[in-house]
Amino acid sequence: MEVTDLIKSLSSHINPEIYFLLARYSSNSEYMTTDDLLLFLEAEQGLTRVTKDECLDIIKRFEPSKEGRKRGQLGIDGFTAYLLSKECDLFDPEHQKVCQDMTQPLSHYFIASSHNTYLLEDQLRGPSSVDAYIRSLKKGCKCLELDCWDGPNDDPLIYHGHTLTTKITFKSVIEAINEYAFVASSYPVILSIENHCSLKQQQAMAQHMQTILGIFTYYLLMVAIIKSILYFVGDKLYIEQPDENADCLPSPTHFINKILVKNKKLPSDTSEGYVSEEDEGSESSAENKKKLNNKKEGSGKKLKLAKELSDLVSWCKSVRFVDFHTSAEKQNPWEMCSFNESLSVKLANNNSEEFINYNKLFLSRIYPNGTRVDSSNYNPQDLWNSGCQMVALNYQTSGQMMDLYTGRFNQNGNCGYVLKPSIMRDEISYFSATTRDAIPGISPQILHVKIISGHQFPKPKGSGAKGDYTDPYVAIEVFGIPSDCAEERTKTVQHNGYNPLFDEWFEFQINLPDLALVRFCVLDDDFIGDAFIAQYTIPFECMQTGYRHIHLKSNTGDTIPNCTLFIHVAITNKRGGGKSHKRGQSVKKAKRAKDYTSMKSIGVKNIDETFRVAIQPLRDAADLRDNVQTELVLFKENCGLAAISNVKQCIRLLSNRITSCGNGVTLTLTSRGDFPYLEAQGIIPEVLKKALISFDNLVGECKILIQTADSVHERIIHSQQAGLEWHEDLSNHCQTSGLKGRKLNKAMENFAWNIRVLKGQADLLLQAKNECLEYLRQVKEAAVSTGLAKPEIITNGT
C-alpha cells in the first residue's frame, strides 16, 4: 500500500535526476537489472557486500508491474518508489537503537532534561498537567523537574510558585512517573526536586515516593536473593549511598530501571537541619555575580529539610556552585550544581576550558532564565559545547531549539542519553568551546549536500493572504562548535510548493563531527516575512550518504504526510563520498611546504625533550596520509569524476571507456601479492593512460601506508606513553622550573594539547590504513561487477 501511494503521488512529476540516475546505471536506459541495481547501491549509496538476491528482493517489493518483477527489472516507477522508501532515508537505521557505550560515568553523557515539566504552556498562567510528565517521558526525557509546594490536607502540590499556573498533586505525578518512567528506555530517570514544602509535607513527599516507586538498595536485593524470593515490584527508587572513596559517577547501565532523586541532603550524622532553598525563580544576575566571587555554601534563603526526604538522595546531591577551584578541591562526584542560563553562558564564554574539565567529573544542570515567562527556550548547543549534561528546555514550547534537542537525542536510539565526544571525556585533553581552529587529533570532514527537489510542501499557517501558492526555498543550517556553525539557502522556486526543483550544491566543513547537527528548513519566501513550512534536524553522525529522502516535520515535530525533500549527500572519509579537494588544485597543494602538526613547548627541558621525539613520526604519519589523498584526488580527476565520487565509480568508468575503445583494447585486473593492478592491452588513448598511471600511483601509496602504518603508529603511541609518565607530578615539575601563574596554566594546557595530538594522530593513521584497505576492496569488487576480474580475486589478498 505504501509503494502504491508513493507512485501515485509522483505520477504527475518524476524528477529528472531520477531519470538520469536510472539511465546512468541501467544497461538499456529503461530499467535496471539486478546487476545494475547492485552497482548503484554500492557506488552511490555506500552499501557493501550487496548480493544479487538482495537486489532481486528490492525489485519484488518496489517494482509495480508484474512483468518487471517476474523478469527482475526495476523501472522508473519502481526505482522512484525505492528512493522514497525507508531504506533510502537520510537517517542511519543503526542509530534508531542504542548504539553507544553505556558503561561510562553519567557525567560523560548528554542527558535529555526538561524544565518546568508540569507545564503545558507558559509559566505565568499556563495549565499544569500530569500529561505533561507523560509526554516528556514518552519523548525520552530522563530528567524531570518537580516544583513542590504545600497543599491542603498535607497533600503536596506541584506548580510554578507565585504565578497563576494551575496546580496538580505530587502524588499523581509520582504515580505517572512510576508507570511511564521507562517507556522510552530502561536507563535511569532523575527527579529534580525544587523543594518549598514544610517539614510535614516533605515527609509526605518521601512517603509517596517510597510507597509508589519502591526502594532499592543492594542490601535488600541480597536479602531477596539469599531467601530465594521474588523481589517486590516497587524497587525503582535508588537510595544506595555512594562510597566515600568513589572518584567518578556510576554509568547509566548501573542504574538500569532506577529512579534517582536530585535534592539537597543533610550530613550523614544529622537527623534534622537547615539547607539553602532550591529556588530557580530567586536566581538573579546579582546572585550569579556573588557566586563567581566565592559565595559561600549556606547563604541565602533557608529551608528546614526532612531527614526522610534527605535519605532518598544518593548520587545527585544538590550543592551551590562557588567557583571551579573550590569544586576541584571540595566537590564530590555525587554532588552536582544547577546553573541558570545567564551564568552558564558566561562561564562557557569566559571559562570555557575550566567548564569543560569540570563537566568531565561532575553533573551540571542548566535551566532557562526566570525572565522567560513565555517558556521560550535558549540554544542548547551553546551549553553542549561546554560539556553540560542536563541542558533543560521547556518541552512544551516547540520551535527551532526543541528541533535541535530532538535531533540530538535521536543519535542514540532516543534513549535519553548521548555519549559526549571523547575530547570532552578524556582525562588529559585540551578543548575550548569557543575555538575556531582545527581540533587536535580530529580530522575535519566536508559535508556536500545537493538539494534536488521537494514534494508536497503544505501552505504555511496563516498564509491565506497569498492565495493558493507558495514560494519555497530550503535553508541548510549547521549547529556545533563556533567554527562549524554555518547557513546556506537555495534559490526561491516561484509559485510551486507541490514539486519544486532546486538542484543546488552546498559545502560545509565540520571540525567536530560528533557534536554537529544539520537542520533542513523549508520556508515560504515573502517580503513581509518568510513563513515556516517544514523542517528536519539530524545529527551529522547519523547522516547516510548517497541519494536520500527526508520526511519533513511540522513545527511541533510531527511528520507531515507525503512531504519530502530529495537530496544527495557526500561526506569526507565516509563510504559513498570522497575526500574533498577543489579540482585542479591538488598538485599545487602538494608542492607547497607542508604545515605539520607539531608539539607545543611546556617550558620544562626534560618534558619538552620527551615530546620532541614524537616530531618525526608525526611528520611520517602526515606524509603517509597526504600522499594517499593526493594520489586519490589525481586518480579521480584523471577519470573525469568529481571529488565526491568513490573508487568504485572510477573503476566502472574506466571499464566503460576501455570497452568503448574497440580495436581489441582490453583491461584486466590482476593481483600482485595482496595488491590489485590494472593491465591494458592494445592502443590506449592518452587520457586513459594518465588514469591508469594514477591508479598505479594510488595503489603504490596505499601499499606503502598499509605496510608502514603499524610501525609509525607504535612510535607515536610510545611517545604518548612517555609523556603520560610526567602527568601525575606535572604541576610540581613545572613549578620547580619556575613556572607560575599564567605560564603554569599555559604549560598545563600545552601538555594536554600534546597528549591529545599524539592520540589523535595515531588514531588518524590507523583510520587511514583502514581507508586504504577499503579502497582496494572497492577496486576488486568493482572489477568483478564490470567483468575486469573473476570473483575469486576477492578471496585472494585483502
Side-chain angles (χ1 to χ4, degrees):
M1 182 63 69
E2 179 184 357
V3 176
T4 304
D5 292 341
L6 281 170
I7 293 170
K8 285 181 180 179
S9 68
L10 289 168
S11 60
S12 64
H13 177 78
I14 298 293
N15 194 290
E17 181 77 17
I18 299 178
Y19 270 122
F20 175 72
L21 268 178
L22 187 139
R24 192 195 319 170
Y25 281 93
S26 65
S27 305
N28 63 6
S29 75
E30 291 185 3
Y31 56 80
M32 282 185 172
T33 64
T34 53
D35 288 334
D36 298 333
L37 181 57
L38 186 149
L39 191 59
F40 167 77
L41 295 175
E42 294 193 331
E44 293 289 355
Q45 305 298 86
L47 301 180
T48 59
R49 310 294 184 185
V50 182
T51 65
K52 289 186 179 181
D53 287 340
E54 289 171 333
C55 294
L56 191 60
D57 178 64
I58 290 174
I59 293 172
K60 288 180 178 179
R61 286 187 290 118
F62 293 99
E63 173 57 40
S65 70
K66 291 182 179 179
E67 185 178 356
R69 292 195 297 270
K70 184 177 180 180
R71 294 182 177 181
Q73 298 171 349
L74 190 66
I76 186 64
D77 287 338
F79 187 46
T80 302
Y82 170 67
L83 289 176
L84 287 171
S85 70
K86 291 183 179 180
E87 295 182 34
C88 290
D89 197 281
L90 178 63
F91 194 89
D92 187 345
E94 286 298 314
H95 291 271
Q96 291 176 352
K97 58 182 183 297
V98 176
C99 56
Q100 296 179 336
D101 178 10
M102 301 302 290
T103 62
Q104 300 202 26
L106 280 176
S107 56
H108 288 185
Y109 297 85
F110 298 124
I111 303 173
S113 305
S114 167
H115 174 252
N116 289 349
T117 314
Y118 46 89
L119 289 178
L120 293 176
E121 296 175 12
D122 66 79
Q123 63 186 46
L124 187 61
R125 61 184 65 197
S128 303
S129 173
V130 173
D131 285 342
Y133 284 93
I134 296 172
R135 292 178 190 178
S136 296
L137 288 167
K138 286 182 174 180
K139 289 180 179 179
C141 183
K142 289 297 178 178
C143 179
L144 310 173
E145 184 177 15
L146 294 81
D147 288 358
C148 305
W149 301 81
D150 280 353
N153 304 317
D154 295 328
D155 193 7
L157 298 176
I158 290 178
Y159 64 97
H160 199 263
H162 313 299
T163 67
L164 300 177
T165 60
T166 60
K167 304 171 183 180
I168 53 178
T169 64
F170 180 85
K171 182 179 180 182
S172 64
V173 170
I174 297 301
E175 287 173 339
I177 291 171
N178 181 57
E179 184 174 354
Y180 292 95
F182 306 110
V183 169
S185 79
S186 59
Y187 293 106
V189 170
I190 299 170
L191 306 184
S192 181
I193 305 289
E194 189 173 314
N195 178 22
H196 305 278
C197 291
S198 62
L199 203 63
K200 189 171 184 180
Q201 298 216 13
Q202 289 179 45
Q203 293 168 342
M205 289 164 55
Q207 181 63 32
H208 286 322
M209 285 191 280
Q210 291 182 62
T211 303
I212 297 169
L213 302 177
I215 299 175
F216 173 88
T217 67
Y218 280 110
Y219 172 76
L220 291 176
L221 177 61
M222 292 306 297
V223 169
I225 293 174
I226 291 171
K227 293 185 177 181
S228 299
I229 60 175
L230 290 176
Y231 199 57
F232 56 94
V233 177
D235 64 345
K236 296 185 179 73
L237 199 60
Y238 190 101
I239 65 169
E240 186 76 19
Q241 297 303 302
D243 184 342
E244 291 185 0
N245 297 318
D247 58 0
C248 68
L249 287 158
S251 69
T253 300
H254 179 87
F255 294 119
I256 285 287
N257 290 322
K258 295 295 173 281
I259 294 174
L260 299 168
V261 175
K262 170 193 169 294
N263 193 25
K264 295 288 184 177
K265 188 172 178 64
L266 296 170
S268 57
D269 57 350
T270 304
S271 59
E272 63 179 31
Y274 287 89
V275 295
S276 57
E277 185 175 1
E278 287 274 319
D279 187 359
E280 293 179 1
S282 70
E283 300 272 356
S284 68
S285 59
E287 286 180 313
N288 292 337
K289 186 174 182 180
K290 290 178 183 178
K291 287 182 186 179
L292 290 178
N293 290 319
N294 296 329
K295 184 175 180 181
K296 294 183 179 180
E297 172 74 27
S299 62
K301 295 167 65 176
K302 294 289 186 178
L303 177 78
K304 192 169 187 179
L305 181 62
K307 186 176 187 302
E308 291 84 350
L309 184 59
S310 172
D311 286 347
L312 300 186
V313 179
S314 57
W315 284 93
C316 292
K317 176 186 175 182
S318 295
V319 296
R320 280 194 178 272
F321 178 76
V322 179
D323 55 41
F324 292 120
H325 177 74
T326 302
S327 293
E329 293 291 325
K330 298 181 179 180
Q331 190 170 338
N332 294 305
W334 56 86
E335 296 174 330
M336 61 175 292
C337 300
S338 292
F339 305 82
N340 70 25
E341 173 189 344
S342 295
L343 175 59
S344 57
V345 169
K346 183 176 181 179
L347 293 173
N349 291 332
N350 299 340
N351 306 84
S352 177
E353 296 89 342
E354 291 176 287
F355 207 6
I356 289 169
N357 286 330
Y358 173 88
N359 285 319
K360 291 178 183 179
L361 183 59
F362 307 114
L363 289 175
S364 293
R365 179 177 175 271
I366 315 299
Y367 58 90
N369 285 337
T371 54
R372 293 183 181 272
V373 293
D374 59 349
S375 292
S376 59
N377 283 315
Y378 54 91
N379 188 343
Q381 189 68 52
D382 296 336
L383 286 311
W384 288 330
N385 289 348
S386 293
C388 299
Q389 301 87 359
M390 301 178 185
V391 182
L393 293 194
N394 294 300
Y395 270 49
Q396 73 274 23
T397 306
S398 58
Q400 185 187 56
M401 300 312 156
M402 273 308 298
D403 294 341
L404 298 180
Y405 215 78
T406 302
R408 168 69 63 214
F409 288 99
N410 281 339
Q411 190 170 347
N412 191 31
N414 196 36
C415 73
Y417 289 81
V418 171
L419 190 64
K420 296 194 287 189
S422 62
I423 199 166
M424 291 183 169
R425 296 182 276 114
D426 293 342
E427 180 184 359
I428 306 174
S429 65
Y430 175 80
F431 173 67
S432 170
T434 58
T435 184
R436 292 189 176 272
D437 302 321
I439 299 172
I442 296 178
S443 178
Q445 298 194 26
I446 308 298
L447 170 64
H448 296 265
V449 178
K450 184 180 184 180
I451 305 297
I452 300 170
S453 63
H455 190 66
Q456 292 193 19
F457 294 160
K459 288 175 58 180
K461 289 184 178 179
S463 63
K466 283 187 66 176
D468 294 330
Y469 63 84
T470 57
D471 304 319
Y473 69 90
V474 181
I476 308 102
E477 303 166 281
V478 177
F479 297 84
I481 59 174
S483 59
D484 289 347
C485 293
E487 181 177 356
E488 298 284 355
R489 58 157 289 176
T490 66
K491 64 179 182 292
T492 298
V493 177
Q494 299 292 334
H495 304 351
N496 187 357
Y498 183 66
N499 50 21
L501 184 63
F502 300 101
D503 200 33
E504 292 186 63
W505 275 104
F506 301 96
E507 182 178 297
F508 304 90
Q509 178 166 314
I510 311 295
N511 295 292
L512 186 53
D514 288 351
L515 209 55
L517 292 165
V518 182
R519 186 171 186 259
F520 300 87
C521 189
V522 183
L523 298 161
D524 183 21
D525 199 344
D526 194 330
F527 68 92
I528 297 176
D530 298 348
F532 174 89
I533 295 177
Q535 68 83 31
Y536 185 79
T537 306
I538 182 172
F540 175 80
E541 289 294 288
C542 297
M543 296 178 75
Q544 295 197 98
T545 55
Y547 287 90
R548 302 290 169 182
H549 76 280
I550 299 172
H551 284 301
L552 296 170
K553 297 179 180 293
S554 68
N555 63 336
T556 57
D558 299 317
T559 300
I560 304 172
N562 299 322
C563 179
T564 60
L565 197 61
F566 188 44
I567 67 172
H568 182 275
V569 174
I571 301 176
T572 299
N573 296 330
K574 285 199 173 186
R575 295 188 181 96
K579 183 75 173 179
S580 175
H581 290 277
K582 291 185 178 179
R583 294 188 56 155
Q585 292 188 355
S586 54
V587 176
K588 278 186 181 179
K589 184 176 178 180
K591 289 182 179 178
R592 290 201 300 266
K594 290 184 179 179
D595 185 16
Y596 290 102
T597 301
S598 191
M599 298 284 95
K600 292 188 176 182
S601 174
I602 309 302
V604 179
K605 183 179 179 181
N606 291 340
I607 300 178
D608 286 336
E609 288 179 353
T610 300
F611 286 123
R612 198 171 293 121
V613 175
I615 293 176
Q616 190 56 51
L618 284 175
R619 292 190 172 194
D620 292 343
D623 287 340
L624 289 170
R625 298 198 316 271
D626 290 347
N627 290 344
V628 170
Q629 290 303 322
T630 297
E631 294 303 331
L632 180 62
V633 171
L634 282 172
F635 178 48
K636 292 177 182 179
E637 289 180 355
N638 287 324
C639 287
L641 290 175
I644 61 171
S645 58
N646 59 34
V647 173
K648 276 189 176 179
Q649 291 167 313
C650 294
I651 298 300
R652 180 180 180 274
L653 186 63
L654 279 179
S655 175
N656 290 342
R657 288 183 176 176
I658 289 291
T659 301
S660 64
C661 286
N663 299 323
V665 177
T666 61
L667 187 66
T668 307
L669 184 78
T670 62
S671 182
R672 300 176 190 171
D674 291 339
F675 299 91
Y677 288 88
L678 290 172
E679 291 185 355
Q681 300 290 332
I683 302 175
I684 306 294
E686 198 63 32
V687 174
L688 292 182
K689 282 184 180 179
K690 286 185 178 181
L692 293 176
I693 291 171
S694 292
F695 175 80
D696 287 343
N697 292 340
L698 172 61
V699 172
E701 292 298 339
C702 285
K703 180 179 180 180
I704 293 171
L705 189 148
I706 291 169
Q707 292 178 339
T708 60
D710 289 344
S711 62
V712 176
H713 177 269
E714 185 177 346
R715 290 160 60 198
I716 295 174
I717 291 299
H718 178 77
S719 298
Q720 183 205 21
Q721 292 173 343
L724 284 172
E725 292 179 1
W726 295 99
H727 175 248
E728 187 173 344
D729 209 24
L730 178 61
S731 181
N732 289 336
H733 287 300
C734 291
Q735 293 178 44
T736 301
S737 297
L739 302 179
K740 56 184 179 180
R742 290 185 178 180
K743 289 186 177 180
L744 176 60
N745 291 336
K746 190 63 177 176
M748 304 293 280
E749 287 179 7
N750 287 353
F751 181 86
W753 167 280
N754 289 348
I755 294 298
R756 178 66 199 182
V757 164
L758 291 171
K759 180 180 184 300
Q761 294 297 313
D763 291 344
L764 288 176
L765 183 57
L766 290 185
Q767 179 183 329
K769 179 181 177 181
N770 291 332
E771 288 170 1
C772 286
L773 294 171
E774 171 63 16
Y775 299 150
L776 301 181
R777 188 193 65 78
Q778 286 190 30
V779 168
K780 293 180 179 181
E781 290 193 354
V784 170
S785 65
T786 55
L788 299 181
K790 296 180 179 180
E792 55 264 23
I793 195 171
I794 294 182
T795 63
N796 300 324
T798 57

